[in-house]
Amino acid sequence: MCYGFYLTYLIREKEPGALSRAGEDAVRFMALSDSGRGDPRQTLRLLWRGLAEKPGKPARGRKPRITADQIVSAAVSLADRERLPAVTMEGVAAALGVGTMSLYTHVPGKAELMDLMVDAAWGELDLPAEPPARPEGWREQVQLYARETLALYRRHPWLREITTVRPPLGPGLLGRQEYLLSSLADIGLPARQVTASAGAVVAFVDATAGFEAEHQHAHEVTGQTEAEWWAARQSFWEDLFDPPSYPTITRLWAADGLAGSTAESVAEAREFGLRALLDGIEAAVRTPPTGR
Amino acid sequence: MCYGFYLTYLIREKEPGALSRAGEDAVRFMALSDSGRGDPRQTLRLLWRGLAEKPGKPARGRKPRITADQIVSAAVSLADRERLPAVTMEGVAAALGVGTMSLYTHVPGKAELMDLMVDAAWGELDLPAEPPARPEGWREQVQLYARETLALYRRHPWLREITTVRPPLGPGLLGRQEYLLSSLADIGLPARQVTASAGAVVAFVDATAGFEAEHQHAHEVTGQTEAEWWAARQSFWEDLFDPPSYPTITRLWAADGLAGSTAESVAEAREFGLRALLDGIEAAVRTPPTGR
DNA sequence: AGCTTTTCCGTATGTGCTACGGCTTTTATT
DNA sequence: AATAAAAGCCGTAGCACATACGGAAAAGCT
């Protein structure tokens, strides 16, 4: 999750000056869940497999029983249903009715499969580029992004479990970036702040959407409701929590005005925060804060 | 990462009405990296092991060679140096010079160890409760939180790799919540918006700090600089990127005004976003947005 | 000394990724 | 046709890791 500053990458680097040849990438660190090691060229070709379906292919050899697309969507539905740990090469292969190792004919490895899953998911966003469907003001456009992202995370809560510093350069994420940047490009900010504000929006929206989605799915997957989770920890309040040490928590607890379900509170924080963020961006348009 | 709405939990649930007895929690889903399954009681006791060092302990049986604290800090330094995947029970035990299985005497399992690591890390935050060291205005207090959090993530970039919907109820996280809530409790917002704004702040600050930290450490760990990473993907720009399909990205790229290193851009987005968020909260104080 | 309690840890099991290499299927060449 | 070449399929095996189990070792108690 937190593709926060992806756009930063997208924009900044054009320098063709290669350094390490890197036909074989250094083993990428794995965080959250892994994503993209191996030969980046190959992964890129897979990410953009929609294009470049080379037409005059000789097509020799055995006919493939499965395609990369099928593998990706099988993996995605597995993850949708049972979360990321359930996505094993065995499981995906079984879902397709082939042997485990057959997957490796179409996909370099699990990390690359993750990249493909991520980009496929982001590609689902419906962010119209043209006025009929596209909302009018930039605020509305950003809010559409926020809504779509929340819906996306709800459909695919596992998105949150895959890191993306140095994310897949695929059409899905690229499309998202284009949309957001185009929304913010001409509101009157200097270029630098266009990037900054877009980065801030993505960071906030992704974080809150991811959290909310995971929160909701936690119940479905564990079979444990939030109330049950708390109940199992009731001894905390009885034995360990020391009110004088935490006066504000205690006070707010006593005041209680907050009520509502946790889900509601989370949603409120999301709404409130996004509005505040947009207000702040708007203020920056009127009065350049740093005066750059 | 994204402890976003932790405070929501902390405040909302007091209902003692237990549901499932749950001496044995349902297997908790693992996201990002796992955290906390097993008997919550035992984990809680470990989290608060600082207190409750029962004084009149008979102290029978073999003397322990290691303590939970030692295990946690060994795990933390391992993670600091080599990231989360390097934290294996074997590795931690080896660092302490004991057999692998000895760890299980002091810690129920790896998931619980993660919880302990997380709470220990958050406990490092230096957030003074009293005026001498504590800044004056609430904005400054929140900014102090942001600075401290950024520093924390830089020290412990693996924090980002551990999920925390339903996080460990330990002193570290509790302390953080108390600080933030106390900063925002009396600025003039209704209780409900105190929670919302605190949630928004935590979501944003955590997301950006986590991203920035991971970004920086990516280089150190992989040995691959960002430039190298891009170089390995140069073929993307040459063969796959279609400028007409992404006009804004192309335009901003051409404009280039953004310059600076990616690290700078990330930092800018963080600063810009936090300022905007605080501005928005301040505006909400003056003019209740929903009028609740 | 013998008993109890607590800790230590070797072994074994299960899960998961993936390298390897043989096999099958399909097309091209002679 | 017969043979070669290409492409895909997948069984086996190796390795890494968490952890259940159970016995050995150490410390105090009676």
Side-chain angles (χ1 to χ4, degrees), chain A residues 5 9 12 14 29 31-32 160 178 192 214-215 248-249 253 260 262 268-269 275 289, chain B residues 5 9 12 14 31-32 160 163 178 192 214-215 248-249 253 260 262 268-269 275 289:
Chain A
F5 301 93
Y9 287 117
R12 207 186 81 68
K14 34 172 153 180
F29 69 89
L32 307 155
R160 200 176 127 67
E178 173 65 23
R192 200 126 176 185
E214 188 168 354
H215 178 264
T248 314
I249 290 176
W253 173 356
T262 303
E268 257 169 55
R275 195 180 332 114
Chain B
F5 301 92
Y9 288 116
R12 206 186 83 68
K14 32 174 154 176
L32 307 156
R160 199 175 128 65
T163 190
E178 173 66 23
R192 199 125 175 188
E214 189 167 354
H215 178 265
T248 315
I249 290 176
W253 172 356
T262 302
E268 258 170 54
R275 195 180 333 115

mmCIF file of all heavy atoms in Angstrom, chain A residues 5 9 12 14 29 31-32 160 178 192 214-215 248-249 253 260 262 268-269 275 289, chain B residues 5 9 12 14 31-32 160 163 178 192 214-215 248-249 253 260 262 268-269 275 289:
data_model
loop_
_atom_site.group_PDB
_atom_site.id
_atom_site.type_symbol
_atom_site.label_atom_id
_atom_site.label_comp_id
_atom_site.label_asym_id
_atom_site.label_seq_id
_atom_site.Cartn_x
_atom_site.Cartn_y
_atom_site.Cartn_z
ATOM 1 N N PHE A 5 4.224 8.182 -3.239
ATOM 2 C CA PHE A 5 5.006 9.123 -4.008
ATOM 3 C C PHE A 5 5.415 8.555 -5.328
ATOM 4 O O PHE A 5 6.365 8.965 -5.940
ATOM 5 C CB PHE A 5 6.190 9.571 -3.195
ATOM 6 C CG PHE A 5 5.730 10.201 -1.942
ATOM 7 C CD1 PHE A 5 5.592 9.452 -0.792
ATOM 8 C CD2 PHE A 5 5.352 11.521 -1.934
ATOM 9 C CE1 PHE A 5 5.109 10.029 0.350
ATOM 10 C CE2 PHE A 5 4.864 12.098 -0.787
ATOM 11 C CZ PHE A 5 4.738 11.354 0.355
ATOM 12 N N TYR A 9 8.427 9.504 -8.539
ATOM 13 C CA TYR A 9 9.293 8.705 -9.382
ATOM 14 C C TYR A 9 9.004 8.953 -10.850
ATOM 15 O O TYR A 9 9.861 9.210 -11.655
ATOM 16 C CB TYR A 9 9.059 7.229 -9.130
ATOM 17 C CG TYR A 9 9.594 6.760 -7.834
ATOM 18 C CD1 TYR A 9 8.736 6.271 -6.862
ATOM 19 C CD2 TYR A 9 10.958 6.771 -7.578
ATOM 20 C CE1 TYR A 9 9.217 5.820 -5.671
ATOM 21 C CE2 TYR A 9 11.448 6.313 -6.381
ATOM 22 C CZ TYR A 9 10.578 5.845 -5.418
ATOM 23 O OH TYR A 9 11.050 5.386 -4.236
ATOM 24 N N ARG A 12 10.237 12.393 -11.969
ATOM 25 C CA ARG A 12 11.599 12.872 -11.817
ATOM 26 C C ARG A 12 12.616 12.268 -12.786
ATOM 27 O O ARG A 12 13.442 12.963 -13.364
ATOM 28 C CB ARG A 12 12.089 12.648 -10.391
ATOM 29 C CG ARG A 12 13.157 13.645 -10.006
ATOM 30 C CD ARG A 12 13.727 13.322 -8.671
ATOM 31 N NE ARG A 12 14.729 12.276 -8.735
ATOM 32 C CZ ARG A 12 15.907 12.412 -9.318
ATOM 33 N NH1 ARG A 12 16.230 13.515 -9.918
ATOM 34 N NH2 ARG A 12 16.774 11.423 -9.316
ATOM 35 N N LYS A 14 14.330 10.925 -15.704
ATOM 36 C CA LYS A 14 14.348 10.617 -17.121
ATOM 37 C C LYS A 14 15.744 10.293 -17.589
ATOM 38 O O LYS A 14 15.941 9.732 -18.649
ATOM 39 C CB LYS A 14 13.795 11.771 -17.929
ATOM 40 C CG LYS A 14 14.089 13.131 -17.351
ATOM 41 C CD LYS A 14 13.670 14.167 -18.348
ATOM 42 C CE LYS A 14 13.298 15.459 -17.670
ATOM 43 N NZ LYS A 14 12.892 16.452 -18.662
ATOM 44 N N PHE A 29 14.809 -6.133 -1.617
ATOM 45 C CA PHE A 29 14.376 -6.440 -0.258
ATOM 46 C C PHE A 29 12.883 -6.719 -0.295
ATOM 47 O O PHE A 29 12.175 -6.196 -1.145
ATOM 48 C CB PHE A 29 14.647 -5.268 0.669
ATOM 49 C CG PHE A 29 13.771 -4.100 0.365
ATOM 50 C CD1 PHE A 29 12.534 -3.981 0.985
ATOM 51 C CD2 PHE A 29 14.151 -3.162 -0.551
ATOM 52 C CE1 PHE A 29 11.711 -2.915 0.690
ATOM 53 C CE2 PHE A 29 13.347 -2.098 -0.846
ATOM 54 C CZ PHE A 29 12.121 -1.974 -0.226
ATOM 55 N N ALA A 31 9.480 -6.341 1.647
ATOM 56 C CA ALA A 31 8.836 -5.702 2.775
ATOM 57 C C ALA A 31 7.396 -6.114 2.657
ATOM 58 O O ALA A 31 6.994 -6.655 1.632
ATOM 59 C CB ALA A 31 8.957 -4.204 2.673
ATOM 60 N N LEU A 32 6.637 -5.893 3.685
ATOM 61 C CA LEU A 32 5.224 -6.219 3.600
ATOM 62 C C LEU A 32 5.141 -7.546 2.887
ATOM 63 O O LEU A 32 5.492 -8.552 3.427
ATOM 64 C CB LEU A 32 4.505 -5.110 2.848
ATOM 65 C CG LEU A 32 4.774 -3.720 3.414
ATOM 66 C CD1 LEU A 32 4.597 -2.653 2.410
ATOM 67 C CD2 LEU A 32 3.883 -3.493 4.597
ATOM 68 N N ARG A 160 -3.216 -3.676 0.494
ATOM 69 C CA ARG A 160 -2.542 -3.051 1.615
ATOM 70 C C ARG A 160 -1.337 -3.843 2.080
ATOM 71 O O ARG A 160 -0.447 -3.316 2.731
ATOM 72 C CB ARG A 160 -3.548 -2.994 2.752
ATOM 73 C CG ARG A 160 -3.238 -2.015 3.814
ATOM 74 C CD ARG A 160 -4.392 -2.037 4.772
ATOM 75 N NE ARG A 160 -3.920 -2.255 6.110
ATOM 76 C CZ ARG A 160 -3.184 -1.394 6.789
ATOM 77 N NH1 ARG A 160 -2.825 -0.282 6.237
ATOM 78 N NH2 ARG A 160 -2.799 -1.661 8.016
ATOM 79 N N GLU A 178 -1.679 9.599 -13.903
ATOM 80 C CA GLU A 178 -2.068 10.567 -14.922
ATOM 81 C C GLU A 178 -3.325 11.314 -14.475
ATOM 82 O O GLU A 178 -3.406 12.530 -14.568
ATOM 83 C CB GLU A 178 -2.305 9.852 -16.245
ATOM 84 C CG GLU A 178 -2.872 10.704 -17.350
ATOM 85 C CD GLU A 178 -1.931 11.815 -17.813
ATOM 86 O OE1 GLU A 178 -0.707 11.664 -17.611
ATOM 87 O OE2 GLU A 178 -2.421 12.812 -18.365
ATOM 88 N N ARG A 192 6.227 22.188 -8.635
ATOM 89 C CA ARG A 192 6.747 21.456 -7.490
ATOM 90 C C ARG A 192 5.642 21.112 -6.499
ATOM 91 O O ARG A 192 5.621 20.041 -5.911
ATOM 92 C CB ARG A 192 7.786 22.320 -6.808
ATOM 93 C CG ARG A 192 8.711 21.552 -5.959
ATOM 94 C CD ARG A 192 10.110 21.856 -6.348
ATOM 95 N NE ARG A 192 11.063 21.190 -5.485
ATOM 96 C CZ ARG A 192 12.364 21.395 -5.577
ATOM 97 N NH1 ARG A 192 12.830 22.232 -6.479
ATOM 98 N NH2 ARG A 192 13.185 20.758 -4.787
ATOM 99 N N GLU A 214 -8.992 -3.072 5.410
ATOM 100 C CA GLU A 214 -8.459 -4.188 6.171
ATOM 101 C C GLU A 214 -9.257 -4.383 7.451
ATOM 102 O O GLU A 214 -9.515 -5.503 7.873
ATOM 103 C CB GLU A 214 -6.991 -3.968 6.499
ATOM 104 C CG GLU A 214 -6.369 -5.202 7.113
ATOM 105 C CD GLU A 214 -4.862 -5.129 7.178
ATOM 106 O OE1 GLU A 214 -4.300 -4.166 6.636
ATOM 107 O OE2 GLU A 214 -4.263 -6.037 7.770
ATOM 108 N N HIS A 215 -9.632 -3.275 8.027
ATOM 109 C CA HIS A 215 -10.432 -3.338 9.229
ATOM 110 C C HIS A 215 -11.713 -4.131 8.996
ATOM 111 O O HIS A 215 -12.071 -5.022 9.759
ATOM 112 C CB HIS A 215 -10.759 -1.920 9.682
ATOM 113 C CG HIS A 215 -11.622 -1.878 10.886
ATOM 114 N ND1 HIS A 215 -12.975 -1.740 10.808
ATOM 115 C CD2 HIS A 215 -11.314 -1.981 12.189
ATOM 116 C CE1 HIS A 215 -13.473 -1.756 12.029
ATOM 117 N NE2 HIS A 215 -12.496 -1.889 12.881
ATOM 118 N N THR A 248 -5.955 11.861 29.291
ATOM 119 C CA THR A 248 -6.801 12.283 28.166
ATOM 120 C C THR A 248 -7.610 11.123 27.614
ATOM 121 O O THR A 248 -8.792 11.248 27.300
ATOM 122 C CB THR A 248 -5.946 12.879 27.043
ATOM 123 O OG1 THR A 248 -5.005 13.782 27.595
ATOM 124 C CG2 THR A 248 -6.826 13.602 26.051
ATOM 125 N N ILE A 249 -6.954 9.999 27.467
ATOM 126 C CA ILE A 249 -7.685 8.824 27.015
ATOM 127 C C ILE A 249 -8.843 8.556 27.961
ATOM 128 O O ILE A 249 -9.972 8.340 27.543
ATOM 129 C CB ILE A 249 -6.747 7.594 26.934
ATOM 130 C CG1 ILE A 249 -5.763 7.772 25.773
ATOM 131 C CG2 ILE A 249 -7.543 6.315 26.781
ATOM 132 C CD1 ILE A 249 -4.736 6.675 25.659
ATOM 133 N N TRP A 253 -12.776 8.934 27.053
ATOM 134 C CA TRP A 253 -13.519 7.715 27.263
ATOM 135 C C TRP A 253 -14.767 8.014 28.090
ATOM 136 O O TRP A 253 -15.887 7.602 27.763
ATOM 137 C CB TRP A 253 -12.597 6.723 27.953
ATOM 138 C CG TRP A 253 -13.217 5.468 28.410
ATOM 139 C CD1 TRP A 253 -14.529 5.107 28.358
ATOM 140 C CD2 TRP A 253 -12.527 4.376 29.002
ATOM 141 N NE1 TRP A 253 -14.688 3.855 28.870
ATOM 142 C CE2 TRP A 253 -13.489 3.384 29.274
ATOM 143 C CE3 TRP A 253 -11.194 4.131 29.327
ATOM 144 C CZ2 TRP A 253 -13.144 2.167 29.869
ATOM 145 C CZ3 TRP A 253 -10.859 2.930 29.902
ATOM 146 C CH2 TRP A 253 -11.834 1.948 30.175
ATOM 147 N N GLY A 260 -20.900 5.737 18.246
ATOM 148 C CA GLY A 260 -20.874 5.152 16.911
ATOM 149 C C GLY A 260 -19.949 3.951 16.873
ATOM 150 O O GLY A 260 -19.210 3.677 17.805
ATOM 151 N N THR A 262 -16.783 1.685 15.507
ATOM 152 C CA THR A 262 -15.430 2.030 15.105
ATOM 153 C C THR A 262 -15.370 2.291 13.615
ATOM 154 O O THR A 262 -14.683 3.196 13.152
ATOM 155 C CB THR A 262 -14.465 0.898 15.463
ATOM 156 O OG1 THR A 262 -14.558 0.645 16.846
ATOM 157 C CG2 THR A 262 -13.048 1.282 15.106
ATOM 158 N N GLU A 268 -15.215 8.668 9.519
ATOM 159 C CA GLU A 268 -15.207 10.080 9.851
ATOM 160 C C GLU A 268 -13.818 10.688 9.742
ATOM 161 O O GLU A 268 -13.641 11.778 9.212
ATOM 162 C CB GLU A 268 -15.711 10.281 11.279
ATOM 163 C CG GLU A 268 -17.131 10.790 11.351
ATOM 164 C CD GLU A 268 -17.645 10.721 12.770
ATOM 165 O OE1 GLU A 268 -17.001 11.285 13.685
ATOM 166 O OE2 GLU A 268 -18.693 10.080 12.981
ATOM 167 N N ALA A 269 -12.862 9.966 10.248
ATOM 168 C CA ALA A 269 -11.492 10.469 10.174
ATOM 169 C C ALA A 269 -11.068 10.620 8.721
ATOM 170 O O ALA A 269 -10.393 11.580 8.339
ATOM 171 C CB ALA A 269 -10.542 9.535 10.909
ATOM 172 N N ARG A 275 -11.104 16.371 3.653
ATOM 173 C CA ARG A 275 -11.595 17.734 3.506
ATOM 174 C C ARG A 275 -10.538 18.724 3.964
ATOM 175 O O ARG A 275 -10.233 19.713 3.292
ATOM 176 C CB ARG A 275 -12.899 17.921 4.292
ATOM 177 C CG ARG A 275 -13.635 19.176 3.885
ATOM 178 C CD ARG A 275 -14.930 19.395 4.654
ATOM 179 N NE ARG A 275 -15.546 18.173 5.119
ATOM 180 C CZ ARG A 275 -15.682 17.847 6.397
ATOM 181 N NH1 ARG A 275 -15.228 18.663 7.333
ATOM 182 N NH2 ARG A 275 -16.270 16.720 6.736
ATOM 183 N N PRO A 289 2.327 29.317 0.278
ATOM 184 C CA PRO A 289 2.770 29.236 1.672
ATOM 185 C C PRO A 289 4.249 29.521 1.832
ATOM 186 O O PRO A 289 4.643 30.299 2.673
ATOM 187 C CB PRO A 289 2.449 27.786 2.055
ATOM 188 C CG PRO A 289 2.172 27.061 0.775
ATOM 189 C CD PRO A 289 1.982 28.053 -0.317
ATOM 190 N N PHE B 5 -5.944 4.507 13.150
ATOM 191 C CA PHE B 5 -7.111 4.772 13.957
ATOM 192 C C PHE B 5 -7.086 4.056 15.272
ATOM 193 O O PHE B 5 -8.094 3.785 15.884
ATOM 194 C CB PHE B 5 -8.351 4.437 13.165
ATOM 195 C CG PHE B 5 -8.380 5.248 11.931
ATOM 196 C CD1 PHE B 5 -7.830 4.777 10.760
ATOM 197 C CD2 PHE B 5 -8.890 6.526 11.968
ATOM 198 C CE1 PHE B 5 -7.823 5.561 9.628
ATOM 199 C CE2 PHE B 5 -8.884 7.310 10.851
ATOM 200 C CZ PHE B 5 -8.352 6.825 9.673
ATOM 201 N N TYR B 9 -10.012 2.885 18.482
ATOM 202 C CA TYR B 9 -10.208 1.700 19.297
ATOM 203 C C TYR B 9 -10.099 2.039 20.759
ATOM 204 O O TYR B 9 -10.930 1.707 21.574
ATOM 205 C CB TYR B 9 -9.132 0.666 18.995
ATOM 206 C CG TYR B 9 -9.291 0.013 17.676
ATOM 207 C CD1 TYR B 9 -8.337 0.182 16.689
ATOM 208 C CD2 TYR B 9 -10.386 -0.803 17.421
ATOM 209 C CE1 TYR B 9 -8.462 -0.444 15.477
ATOM 210 C CE2 TYR B 9 -10.520 -1.422 16.206
ATOM 211 C CZ TYR B 9 -9.561 -1.248 15.232
ATOM 212 O OH TYR B 9 -9.678 -1.870 14.033
ATOM 213 N N ARG B 12 -13.167 3.990 21.941
ATOM 214 C CA ARG B 12 -14.530 3.543 21.772
ATOM 215 C C ARG B 12 -14.976 2.407 22.700
ATOM 216 O O ARG B 12 -16.044 2.444 23.282
ATOM 217 C CB ARG B 12 -14.763 3.101 20.335
ATOM 218 C CG ARG B 12 -16.243 3.228 19.959
ATOM 219 C CD ARG B 12 -16.469 2.665 18.600
ATOM 220 N NE ARG B 12 -16.626 1.240 18.632
ATOM 221 C CZ ARG B 12 -17.656 0.626 19.181
ATOM 222 N NH1 ARG B 12 -18.577 1.285 19.789
ATOM 223 N NH2 ARG B 12 -17.744 -0.692 19.149
ATOM 224 N N LYS B 14 -15.497 0.213 25.552
ATOM 225 C CA LYS B 14 -15.330 -0.086 26.962
ATOM 226 C C LYS B 14 -16.261 -1.202 27.381
ATOM 227 O O LYS B 14 -16.089 -1.811 28.414
ATOM 228 C CB LYS B 14 -15.609 1.136 27.820
ATOM 229 C CG LYS B 14 -16.639 2.066 27.262
ATOM 230 C CD LYS B 14 -16.884 3.121 28.299
ATOM 231 C CE LYS B 14 -17.371 4.407 27.662
ATOM 232 N NZ LYS B 14 -17.682 5.389 28.703
ATOM 233 N N ALA B 31 -1.376 -10.097 7.874
ATOM 234 C CA ALA B 31 -1.256 -9.165 6.772
ATOM 235 C C ALA B 31 0.138 -8.610 6.890
ATOM 236 O O ALA B 31 0.788 -8.784 7.901
ATOM 237 C CB ALA B 31 -2.272 -8.053 6.908
ATOM 238 N N LEU B 32 0.604 -7.958 5.872
ATOM 239 C CA LEU B 32 1.922 -7.354 5.960
ATOM 240 C C LEU B 32 2.798 -8.385 6.631
ATOM 241 O O LEU B 32 3.139 -9.379 6.046
ATOM 242 C CB LEU B 32 1.820 -6.043 6.739
ATOM 243 C CG LEU B 32 0.754 -5.084 6.201
ATOM 244 C CD1 LEU B 32 0.274 -4.136 7.241
ATOM 245 C CD2 LEU B 32 1.300 -4.331 5.012
ATOM 246 N N ARG B 160 7.092 -0.271 9.188
ATOM 247 C CA ARG B 160 6.169 -0.149 8.086
ATOM 248 C C ARG B 160 5.682 -1.502 7.584
ATOM 249 O O ARG B 160 4.652 -1.599 6.934
ATOM 250 C CB ARG B 160 6.925 0.535 6.960
ATOM 251 C CG ARG B 160 6.091 1.140 5.929
ATOM 252 C CD ARG B 160 7.020 1.854 4.983
ATOM 253 N NE ARG B 160 6.755 1.446 3.623
ATOM 254 C CZ ARG B 160 5.629 1.683 2.983
ATOM 255 N NH1 ARG B 160 4.651 2.309 3.594
ATOM 256 N NH2 ARG B 160 5.464 1.283 1.752
ATOM 257 N N THR B 163 1.584 -4.871 10.012
ATOM 258 C CA THR B 163 0.258 -4.275 10.001
ATOM 259 C C THR B 163 -0.248 -4.061 11.406
ATOM 260 O O THR B 163 0.217 -4.679 12.353
ATOM 261 C CB THR B 163 -0.754 -5.157 9.284
ATOM 262 O OG1 THR B 163 -1.953 -4.416 9.104
ATOM 263 C CG2 THR B 163 -1.055 -6.400 10.095
ATOM 264 N N GLU B 178 -2.018 8.930 23.922
ATOM 265 C CA GLU B 178 -2.284 9.916 24.964
ATOM 266 C C GLU B 178 -1.739 11.276 24.561
ATOM 267 O O GLU B 178 -2.411 12.300 24.691
ATOM 268 C CB GLU B 178 -1.646 9.449 26.282
ATOM 269 C CG GLU B 178 -1.689 10.448 27.410
ATOM 270 C CD GLU B 178 -3.105 10.744 27.901
ATOM 271 O OE1 GLU B 178 -3.994 9.898 27.685
ATOM 272 O OE2 GLU B 178 -3.308 11.830 28.489
ATOM 273 N N ARG B 192 -15.989 14.268 18.945
ATOM 274 C CA ARG B 192 -15.969 13.403 17.780
ATOM 275 C C ARG B 192 -14.900 13.820 16.775
ATOM 276 O O ARG B 192 -14.238 12.997 16.174
ATOM 277 C CB ARG B 192 -17.336 13.483 17.108
ATOM 278 C CG ARG B 192 -17.604 12.337 16.201
ATOM 279 C CD ARG B 192 -18.876 11.686 16.593
ATOM 280 N NE ARG B 192 -19.255 10.636 15.686
ATOM 281 C CZ ARG B 192 -20.417 10.019 15.750
ATOM 282 N NH1 ARG B 192 -21.281 10.373 16.669
ATOM 283 N NH2 ARG B 192 -20.690 9.042 14.921
ATOM 284 N N GLU B 214 11.293 3.824 4.349
ATOM 285 C CA GLU B 214 11.537 2.632 3.551
ATOM 286 C C GLU B 214 12.279 2.988 2.278
ATOM 287 O O GLU B 214 13.156 2.272 1.813
ATOM 288 C CB GLU B 214 10.221 1.930 3.207
ATOM 289 C CG GLU B 214 10.479 0.593 2.572
ATOM 290 C CD GLU B 214 9.236 -0.273 2.491
ATOM 291 O OE1 GLU B 214 8.201 0.133 3.034
ATOM 292 O OE2 GLU B 214 9.321 -1.337 1.870
ATOM 293 N N HIS B 215 11.909 4.114 1.735
ATOM 294 C CA HIS B 215 12.576 4.585 0.535
ATOM 295 C C HIS B 215 14.068 4.731 0.758
ATOM 296 O O HIS B 215 14.892 4.268 -0.021
ATOM 297 C CB HIS B 215 11.960 5.923 0.127
ATOM 298 C CG HIS B 215 12.598 6.515 -1.068
ATOM 299 N ND1 HIS B 215 13.608 7.438 -0.987
ATOM 300 C CD2 HIS B 215 12.401 6.282 -2.387
ATOM 301 C CE1 HIS B 215 13.993 7.771 -2.216
ATOM 302 N NE2 HIS B 215 13.271 7.094 -3.070
ATOM 303 N N THR B 248 -0.367 14.461 -19.140
ATOM 304 C CA THR B 248 0.056 15.275 -17.999
ATOM 305 C C THR B 248 1.403 14.831 -17.469
ATOM 306 O O THR B 248 2.276 15.650 -17.158
ATOM 307 C CB THR B 248 -0.985 15.205 -16.870
ATOM 308 O OG1 THR B 248 -2.276 15.350 -17.415
ATOM 309 C CG2 THR B 248 -0.713 16.293 -15.867
ATOM 310 N N ILE B 249 1.572 13.552 -17.354
ATOM 311 C CA ILE B 249 2.872 13.055 -16.923
ATOM 312 C C ILE B 249 3.946 13.566 -17.871
ATOM 313 O O ILE B 249 4.989 14.081 -17.442
ATOM 314 C CB ILE B 249 2.872 11.506 -16.892
ATOM 315 C CG1 ILE B 249 1.989 11.017 -15.743
ATOM 316 C CG2 ILE B 249 4.278 10.968 -16.739
ATOM 317 C CD1 ILE B 249 1.839 9.508 -15.681
ATOM 318 N N TRP B 253 6.839 16.210 -16.909
ATOM 319 C CA TRP B 253 8.187 15.713 -17.140
ATOM 320 C C TRP B 253 8.972 16.732 -17.954
ATOM 321 O O TRP B 253 10.105 17.095 -17.633
ATOM 322 C CB TRP B 253 8.053 14.380 -17.869
ATOM 323 C CG TRP B 253 9.303 13.782 -18.357
ATOM 324 C CD1 TRP B 253 10.575 14.290 -18.309
ATOM 325 C CD2 TRP B 253 9.414 12.511 -18.987
ATOM 326 N NE1 TRP B 253 11.439 13.421 -18.877
ATOM 327 C CE2 TRP B 253 10.767 12.326 -19.304
ATOM 328 C CE3 TRP B 253 8.493 11.519 -19.320
ATOM 329 C CZ2 TRP B 253 11.215 11.165 -19.934
ATOM 330 C CZ3 TRP B 253 8.959 10.380 -19.948
ATOM 331 C CH2 TRP B 253 10.296 10.200 -20.245
ATOM 332 N N GLY B 260 15.316 18.399 -8.159
ATOM 333 C CA GLY B 260 15.637 17.894 -6.837
ATOM 334 C C GLY B 260 15.649 16.377 -6.829
ATOM 335 O O GLY B 260 15.217 15.738 -7.776
ATOM 336 N N THR B 262 14.512 12.610 -5.541
ATOM 337 C CA THR B 262 13.234 12.045 -5.149
ATOM 338 C C THR B 262 13.043 12.178 -3.647
ATOM 339 O O THR B 262 11.950 12.488 -3.173
ATOM 340 C CB THR B 262 13.151 10.565 -5.541
ATOM 341 O OG1 THR B 262 13.356 10.472 -6.941
ATOM 342 C CG2 THR B 262 11.794 10.006 -5.184
ATOM 343 N N GLU B 268 9.088 17.046 0.605
ATOM 344 C CA GLU B 268 8.224 18.179 0.306
ATOM 345 C C GLU B 268 6.750 17.803 0.423
ATOM 346 O O GLU B 268 5.954 18.557 0.980
ATOM 347 C CB GLU B 268 8.484 18.683 -1.110
ATOM 348 C CG GLU B 268 9.327 19.921 -1.156
ATOM 349 C CD GLU B 268 9.764 20.232 -2.578
ATOM 350 O OE1 GLU B 268 8.893 20.331 -3.466
ATOM 351 O OE2 GLU B 268 10.984 20.344 -2.793
ATOM 352 N N ALA B 269 6.416 16.657 -0.116
ATOM 353 C CA ALA B 269 5.023 16.218 -0.035
ATOM 354 C C ALA B 269 4.614 16.042 1.417
ATOM 355 O O ALA B 269 3.504 16.386 1.818
ATOM 356 C CB ALA B 269 4.834 14.918 -0.792
ATOM 357 N N ARG B 275 1.191 20.502 6.637
ATOM 358 C CA ARG B 275 0.758 21.880 6.812
ATOM 359 C C ARG B 275 -0.695 22.030 6.366
ATOM 360 O O ARG B 275 -1.526 22.613 7.067
ATOM 361 C CB ARG B 275 1.663 22.831 6.037
ATOM 362 C CG ARG B 275 1.478 24.276 6.474
ATOM 363 C CD ARG B 275 2.381 25.259 5.721
ATOM 364 N NE ARG B 275 3.599 24.653 5.230
ATOM 365 C CZ ARG B 275 3.885 24.517 3.933
ATOM 366 N NH1 ARG B 275 3.025 24.915 3.022
ATOM 367 N NH2 ARG B 275 5.030 23.972 3.568
ATOM 368 N N PRO B 289 -17.325 22.481 10.244
ATOM 369 C CA PRO B 289 -17.647 22.157 8.867
ATOM 370 C C PRO B 289 -19.000 21.476 8.714
ATOM 371 O O PRO B 289 -19.803 21.870 7.898
ATOM 372 C CB PRO B 289 -16.525 21.209 8.448
ATOM 373 C CG PRO B 289 -15.862 20.774 9.706
ATOM 374 C CD PRO B 289 -16.263 21.684 10.795
#
